[in-house]
């Protein structure tokens, strides 16, 4: 290699060289202006203070729209009237850099907090949106028909629709905090993220001054039944279901697992709690196939069904690990962050018997009162293998129930 070739320097990223950032981020600051905005814009690279791009995985669709000349690459959102429909926070947990590391606590407020900067041309975008909606589920109509639920006109309507506050949350990772959650160093985390994404984000290893990452993955959606302010009120009871995405069951009703039945059971319990003066909350995480993806999940289905002797609880997780290399990639270390963002300190009724979820929630400092199992009659016949495997592996702990299902039903029916 000639000396001229050796001296040639080609920049492969859109970031400026490390130096004094125009908009530094001080994670965990109690004031959003002191913390600084999250800027993942590609329209003005000099302002960027994070690794990645706004919208995560959806930034690729933006790229396609621009490549296909359907979108102006300099287009910026007009945030007029997009502000949250209800106030959330600030809560004390927002100012603890160890408590929330996987989302931006101020992500729903940049249009108000940084209005002047946005007006003057800085491309600052929300990573959280808060709106109102109604849910319509046949299972809720069935619960009303069976007199387990009754319309009240506020939470649950005579049509079976449920009034909710709906919150979309994009992931925003504070890399030092994420590394600490997984018991590794920030350097090791950065190197692994860089390598396992095929070098997609070189700034992970070239820009140690950038400590915030917008990962190209799905975030979560929160559905709140009742008063959102009740989530941080110690006098109010809270019912909660933390659910990990399962498209086949949740949307299309596949009967090989208990995902949709447990989700709709959780929604029913949340409605009941909200009608009694408490608050119900469903957290829906985009972690398809235990965060292994749907292709891997379907490959595992084939492997389980075709093995000698047929599908069995004894080999349930073994076949997953043979195909994917790990039994479960969800881990749940980051899952409690959104609960802390909502101001939750105690969950009175948790609709989950997953030890992984329970340990993550309680380990983060949130108290859990009662763990509520899925009613046996809601378990599809083809899902029995899954249930037995989870019990044997310690994923599902029916012995942890503090109140019998019959007692719960009896108490709830007395309200109507």
């Amino acid at each position: 290699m000639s000396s001229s070739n050796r001296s040639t320097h080609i920049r492969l990223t859109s970031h400026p060289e490390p130096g004094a950032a125009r908009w530094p981020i001080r994670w965990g600051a109690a004031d959003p202006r002191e913390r600084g905005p999250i800027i993942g814009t590609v329209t003005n690279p000099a302002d960027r203070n994070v690794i990645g791009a706004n919208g995560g995985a959806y930034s690729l669709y933006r790229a396609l729209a621009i490549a296909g000349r359907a979108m102006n690459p300099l287009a910026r959102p007009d945030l007029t009237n997009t502000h949250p429909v209800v106030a959330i926070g600030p809560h004390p947990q927002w100012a603890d850099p160890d408590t929330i590391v996987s989302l931006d606590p101020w992500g729903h407020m940049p249009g108000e907090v940084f209005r002047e900067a946005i007006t003057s041309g800085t491309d600052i975008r929300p990573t959280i949106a808060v709106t109102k909606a109604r849910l319509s589920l046949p299972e809720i109509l069935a619960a009303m028909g069976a007199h387990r639920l009754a319309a009240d006109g506020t939470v649950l309507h005579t049509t079976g629709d449920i009034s909710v506050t709906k919150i979309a949350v994009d992931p925003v990772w504070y890399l030092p905090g994420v590394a600490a959650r997984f018991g590794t160093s920030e350097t090791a985390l950065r190197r692994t993220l860089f390598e396992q994404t095929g070098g997609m984000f070189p700034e992970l290893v070239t820009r140690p001054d950038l400590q915030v990452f917008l990962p190209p993955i799905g975030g979560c959606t929160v559905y709140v039944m009742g008063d959102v302010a009740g989530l941080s009120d110690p006098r109010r009871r809270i019912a909660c279901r933390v659910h990990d995405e399962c498209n086949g069951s949740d949307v299309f009703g596949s009967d090989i697992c208990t995902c949709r039945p447990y989700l709709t059971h959780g929604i029913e319990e949340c409605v009941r709690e909200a009608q009694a003066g408490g608050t119900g909350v469903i957290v829906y995480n985009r972690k398809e196939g235990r965060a292994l993806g749907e292709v891997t999940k379907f490959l595992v289905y084939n492997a389980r069904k075709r093995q000698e002797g047929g599908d069995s609880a004894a080999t349930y997780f073994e076949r997953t690990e043979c195909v994917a290399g790990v039994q479960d990639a969800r881990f749940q270390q980051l899952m409690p962050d959104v609960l802390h963002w909502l101001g939750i300190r105690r969950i009175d009724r948790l609709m989950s018997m997953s030890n992984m979820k329970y340990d993550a929630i309680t380990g983060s400092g949130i108290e859990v009162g009662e763990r509520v199992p899925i009613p046996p009659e809601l378990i599809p016949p083809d899902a029995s293998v899954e249930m037995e495997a989870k019990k044997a592996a310690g994923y599902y702990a029916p012995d942890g129930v503090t109140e019998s299902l019959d007692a719960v039903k009896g108490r709830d029916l007395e309200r109507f």
Side-chain angles (χ1 to χ4, degrees):
M1 183 181 292
S2 68
S3 60
S4 61
N5 286 338
R6 285 197 302 269
S7 63
T8 299
H9 178 69
I10 302 175
R11 283 197 52 76
L12 299 179
T13 74
S14 60
H15 281 297
E17 296 291 348
R22 179 186 176 195
W23 297 100
I25 297 174
R26 300 177 180 87
W27 197 267
D31 180 88
R33 293 171 182 81
E34 180 186 350
R35 200 291 304 272
I38 300 295
I39 307 177
T41 178
V42 295
T43 61
N44 190 353
D47 284 344
R48 287 168 57 86
N49 59 8
V50 301
I51 301 165
N54 291 120
Y58 290 95
S59 63
L60 299 180
Y61 289 102
R62 173 189 169 94
L64 287 177
I66 292 171
R69 297 181 177 84
M71 181 178 180
N72 182 344
L74 299 179
R76 290 172 43 203
D78 178 353
L79 298 178
T80 303
N81 292 331
T82 63
H83 56 279
V85 297
V86 297
I88 298 179
H91 298 297
Q93 296 94 315
W94 296 12
D96 185 343
D98 299 322
T99 297
I100 297 178
V101 302
S102 63
L103 60 88
D104 174 14
W106 308 98
H108 55 313
M109 301 171 67
E112 292 71 53
V113 174
F114 298 105
R115 185 187 306 275
E116 292 183 6
I118 293 172
T119 301
S120 66
T122 305
D123 190 1
I124 304 171
R125 307 188 184 190
T127 59
I128 298 174
V130 185
T131 190
K132 292 280 189 180
R134 286 196 180 190
L135 306 184
S136 181
L137 300 167
E139 289 88 348
I140 296 300
L141 282 171
M144 295 172 70
H147 304 292
R148 297 197 308 271
L149 290 175
D152 61 273
T154 301
V155 177
L156 180 61
H157 304 272
T158 55
T159 56
D161 291 352
I162 306 166
S163 291
V164 299
T165 299
K166 186 164 63 171
I167 306 164
V169 182
D170 279 343
V172 178
W173 288 3
Y174 176 56
L175 292 172
V178 173
R181 291 277 179 93
F182 284 85
T184 188
S185 68
E186 182 185 348
T187 299
L189 174 65
R190 285 172 172 268
R191 172 60 62 178
T192 305
L193 288 171
F194 171 73
E195 293 174 347
Q196 295 303 312
T197 56
M200 190 185 302
F201 300 99
E203 293 88 357
L204 286 166
V205 292
T206 63
R207 295 294 306 274
D209 57 309
L210 298 178
Q211 294 188 309
V212 176
F213 177 39
L214 306 182
I217 59 174
C220 70
T221 309
V222 181
Y223 299 86
V224 180
M225 280 139 266
D227 186 4
V228 175
L231 294 172
S232 59
D233 186 344
R235 298 166 298 180
R236 303 275 193 93
R237 286 175 55 85
I238 296 173
C240 176
R241 165 75 181 163
V242 177
H243 189 89
D244 292 330
E245 178 183 24
C246 179
N247 183 63
S249 178
D250 296 341
V251 179
F252 295 101
S254 172
D255 66 351
I256 198 171
C257 62
T258 61
C259 295
R260 181 180 174 94
Y262 219 153
L263 174 61
T264 57
H265 169 61
I267 293 172
E268 180 178 337
E269 295 298 322
C270 285
V271 168
R272 187 173 290 113
E273 198 66 67
Q275 288 181 321
T279 306
V281 58
I282 301 289
V283 178
Y284 193 89
N285 292 298
R286 295 314 190 286
K287 296 179 181 179
E288 178 64 59
R290 299 198 203 104
L292 300 170
E294 203 163 37
V295 169
T296 295
K297 181 166 73 170
F298 288 8
L299 295 175
V300 172
Y301 285 168
N302 288 346
R304 284 171 48 195
K305 297 289 187 178
R306 290 170 175 167
Q307 65 187 340
E308 185 177 353
D311 199 9
S312 71
T315 59
Y316 179 88
F317 287 109
E318 177 186 338
R319 296 309 298 141
T320 302
E321 190 165 1
C322 287
V323 174
V326 64
Q327 292 182 2
D328 193 327
R330 292 172 298 175
F331 304 112
Q332 307 297 350
Q333 281 96 325
L334 303 178
M335 175 268 289
D337 286 22
V338 69
L339 301 176
H340 289 291
W341 176 72
L342 291 165
I344 294 174
R345 294 188 180 276
R346 173 183 168 83
I347 296 171
D348 296 277
R349 305 187 73 224
L350 176 66
M351 273 65 74
S352 172
M353 299 310 295
S354 165
N355 283 341
M356 290 178 67
K357 293 177 182 176
Y358 174 81
D359 291 344
I361 291 170
T362 57
S364 75
I366 297 174
E367 183 183 353
V368 172
E370 175 189 354
R371 300 169 69 182
V372 182
I374 183 173
E377 65 269 19
L378 295 184
I379 299 174
D382 203 29
S384 59
V385 170
E386 175 200 52
M387 293 300 292
E388 293 305 314
K390 287 183 175 181
K391 291 175 184 177
Y395 277 66
Y396 186 89
D399 294 338
V401 182
T402 58
E403 184 175 7
S404 74
L405 186 61
D406 289 339
V408 172
K409 286 183 176 178
R411 184 194 66 225
D412 293 335
L413 285 172
E414 291 173 358
R415 295 176 182 165
F416 302 108

